[in-house]
Amino acid sequence: MLERSDIALMIYIGFMIFAWSIGYIFDSKMIKKTGLFGSQTLIVSVINFSIGFCVILGWFFFSWGVNEFIFFGGLILGIGMLVASQVALLILLLVKKKQMMQIYNNNINNNS
């Protein structure tokens, strides 16, 4: 049977994945709509970092009184996942940049 900390850890990881997916979906739609890669990527990086920071802060409040090993382990896990999600988001957006900009250019040419 799952303990309270196991369920909290699954929710913790789920929210970090949620933050990454929201960031990617938002950024890809906005780049295709506006054609602004740099500013949209900066905005989504801040959004991803903010949601990740809030999740880590939630973990901090949950695990502070439970166990110091759970606290530090979750803190290291959260920071690692936050850095990994930022890097993965930027790499994926850079890889898909040409495709998204092509969609933007096609939309501009079709609407003109």
Side-chain angles (χ1 to χ4, degrees):
M1 188 161 129
L2 294 175
E3 293 182 23
R4 194 174 108 191
S5 60
D6 294 335
I7 294 170
L9 186 62
M10 286 189 289
I11 292 170
Y12 184 51
I13 292 170
F15 271 112
M16 293 298 265
I17 294 170
F18 174 75
W20 183 87
S21 61
I22 287 296
Y24 176 72
I25 291 169
F26 175 78
D27 201 31
S28 64
K29 287 188 184 282
M30 291 308 291
I31 290 171
K32 291 174 188 174
K33 186 175 183 177
T34 64
L36 302 172
F37 180 79
S39 61
Q40 295 299 335
T41 302
L42 179 66
I43 290 169
V44 82
S45 292
V46 171
I47 290 171
N48 189 26
F49 181 79
S50 299
I51 294 172
F53 180 77
C54 290
V55 171
I56 291 172
L57 192 63
W59 180 261
F60 176 80
F61 288 127
F62 164 75
S63 64
W64 181 253
V66 176
N67 185 345
E68 63 270 2
F69 295 112
I70 291 175
F71 171 74
F72 286 115
L75 197 59
I76 291 170
L77 176 68
I79 292 169
M81 287 179 61
L82 184 59
V83 169
S85 70
Q86 288 283 43
V87 169
L89 185 62
L90 291 175
I91 289 173
L92 185 61
L93 290 172
L94 285 172
V95 167
K96 297 224 175 210
K97 177 183 177 181
K98 186 175 182 180
Q99 179 186 12
M100 289 186 281
M101 294 304 287
Q102 185 65 36
I103 292 170
Y104 171 74
N105 290 331
N106 289 341
N107 288 339
I108 291 297
N109 292 336
N110 290 338
N111 291 335
S112 296

